[in-house]
Amino acid sequence: MLLEAKKQYKTITPGQEQENLHYYVDVSEEIVNLPPNAFFVIEKVKVYPLVKGIINIGRRLENHLVVADLRVSRSHAQLRAINGQFVLFDLNSTRGTYVNGQRIAQAILYPDDTISLGGVTLTFHQQEPVSRPDLIDTVR
């Protein structure tokens, strides 16, 4: 039985993602409507560029983003690019998915949002972000 080797992802600096998309994405996969220059910082040490329209997150090796921590469910969450924004969905995980301390079923991500997957922390970052609708009236 042959086992396919898991792709090795290298850490790149923010801003390089658009230059190196095909390193992360199969050539046949469409690269449309992705928020530009978005990435996760996992536990303040690992950078994971967000360069796919759908990213499955969990412990299972078949996930795009594998988090090898028992607090994380095998299929914990899914990130989808929708209308130029990333939306995070909880996949009925055991310990829940939280964005900025609030348990969510789904949530639009904004720069510097803190995500907790069963206690494992990811921070969402994006250059050239869209404006937050809850802050539109606060700046004049």
Side-chain angles (χ1 to χ4, degrees), residues 59-112:
R59 276 193 349 254
R60 203 172 260 151
L61 294 177
E62 293 80 18
N63 288 307
H64 300 103
L65 174 53
V66 177
V67 182
D69 189 301
L70 291 175
R71 297 174 292 176
V72 175
S73 295
R74 288 182 210 97
S75 295
H76 197 105
Q78 185 178 76
L79 188 67
R80 296 182 204 161
I82 300 173
N83 296 326
Q85 295 181 297
F86 276 114
V87 181
L88 183 64
F89 295 84
D90 181 74
L91 299 177
N92 296 316
S93 61
T94 302
R95 295 183 180 226
T97 301
Y98 294 78
V99 175
N100 300 324
Q102 300 282 52
R103 189 168 187 155
I104 60 106
Q106 67 182 46
I108 296 172
L109 295 182
Y110 295 98
D112 301 319

Side-chain angles (χ1 to χ4, degrees), residues 8-14 17 39-50 65-69 120-125:
Q8 293 292 318
Y9 292 104
K10 62 182 181 179
T11 301
I12 60 176
T13 58
E17 296 93 345
F39 57 98
F40 279 142
V41 176
I42 306 163
E43 294 285 299
K44 298 182 183 180
V45 292
K46 295 180 184 175
V47 174
Y48 184 87
L50 304 174
L65 174 53
V66 177
V67 182
D69 189 301
V120 175
T121 304
L122 292 79
T123 308
F124 176 75
H125 295 278

Side-chain angles (χ1 to χ4, degrees), residues 2 7 21-22 24 26 28 38 56 67 72 87 96 101 113-114 116 119 131-132 136 140:
L2 295 174
K7 278 187 182 178
L21 282 179
H22 294 292
Y24 300 96
D26 294 331
S28 62
N56 293 315
V67 182
V72 175
V87 181
D113 276 351
T114 300
S116 176
S131 59
R132 289 182 63 150
I136 288 175
R140 294 195 191 262

